[in-house]
């Protein structure tokens, strides 16, 4: 009984840590894409994945990432529509599945590594939070 309690506490702490990290990363990325030009994003912010995209599409991606920042934290924290948290994690994973090959083609191994780490965090979060709904 006590071991199960500790295991659940540790898992919950790990999941919240992953959710927080995902929220920070996607929040920062979304904020940058929502206010900066493509030139600044590519040159100073290192977000080379937006190179050549129309500014309106970059803004849509940024706003989506900001909404994802809310969706990865708020539903689970407020215990309202908790299914939205793992769904958001799946969406983040899909974004990383698309982003990694783009950075690979641009010969950016550092960005690919970050994409794969974020992919792993998102999958872990989705799996853990879907399991918590059962």
């Amino acid at each position: 009984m006590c071991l199960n309690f500790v295991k659940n506490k540790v898992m919950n702490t790990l999941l919240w840590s992953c959710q927080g990290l995902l929220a920070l990363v996607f929040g920062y990325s979304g904020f940058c894409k929502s206010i900066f030009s493509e030139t600044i994003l590519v040159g100073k912010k290192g977000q080379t994945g937006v190179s050549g995209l129309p500014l309106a599409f970059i803004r849509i991606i940024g706003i989506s990432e900001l909404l994802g920042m809310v969706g990865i934290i708020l539903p689970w924290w407020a215990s309202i529509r908790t299914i939205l948290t793992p769904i958001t994690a799946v969406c983040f994973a899909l974004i990383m599945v698309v982003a990694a090959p783009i950075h690979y083609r641009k010969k950016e191994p550092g960005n690919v590594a970050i994409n794969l780490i974020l992919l792993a965090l998102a999958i872990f979060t989705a799996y853990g939070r879907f399991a918590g709904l059962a």
Side-chain angles (χ1 to χ4, degrees):
M1 179 76 172
C2 185
L3 184 59
N4 226 8
F5 174 76
V6 171
K7 179 181 154 190
N8 288 341
K9 281 297 221 185
V10 169
M11 182 60 93
N12 194 45
T13 301
L14 286 172
L15 288 167
W16 273 114
S17 297
C18 289
Q19 287 172 247
L21 187 58
L22 288 167
L24 285 172
V25 169
F26 282 94
Y28 173 76
S29 177
F31 175 76
C32 289
K33 288 175 185 155
S34 296
I35 64 167
F36 294 121
S37 67
E38 176 192 348
T39 307
I40 293 174
L41 286 169
V42 173
K44 293 183 180 178
K45 300 296 179 186
Q47 295 196 18
T48 57
V50 300
S51 177
L53 295 177
L55 186 60
F57 189 59
I58 294 170
R59 296 291 189 250
I60 290 169
I61 294 169
I63 291 166
S64 298
E65 289 177 339
L66 288 171
L67 290 171
M69 176 188 71
V70 173
I72 199 75
I73 298 290
L74 188 61
W76 202 269
W77 177 73
S79 296
I80 299 171
R81 305 269 194 254
T82 55
I83 189 70
L84 294 175
T85 294
I87 288 173
T88 301
V90 169
C91 292
F92 283 164
L94 291 174
I95 291 171
M96 292 302 101
V97 166
V98 171
I102 291 170
H103 291 294
Y104 178 79
R105 282 193 297 277
K106 293 177 181 263
K107 298 183 181 357
E108 300 171 341
N111 286 344
V112 172
I114 290 169
N115 293 148
L116 294 176
I117 290 168
L118 292 172
L119 174 63
L121 292 173
I123 290 171
F124 176 73
T125 301
Y127 175 79
R129 290 307 185 199
F130 274 128
L133 293 173

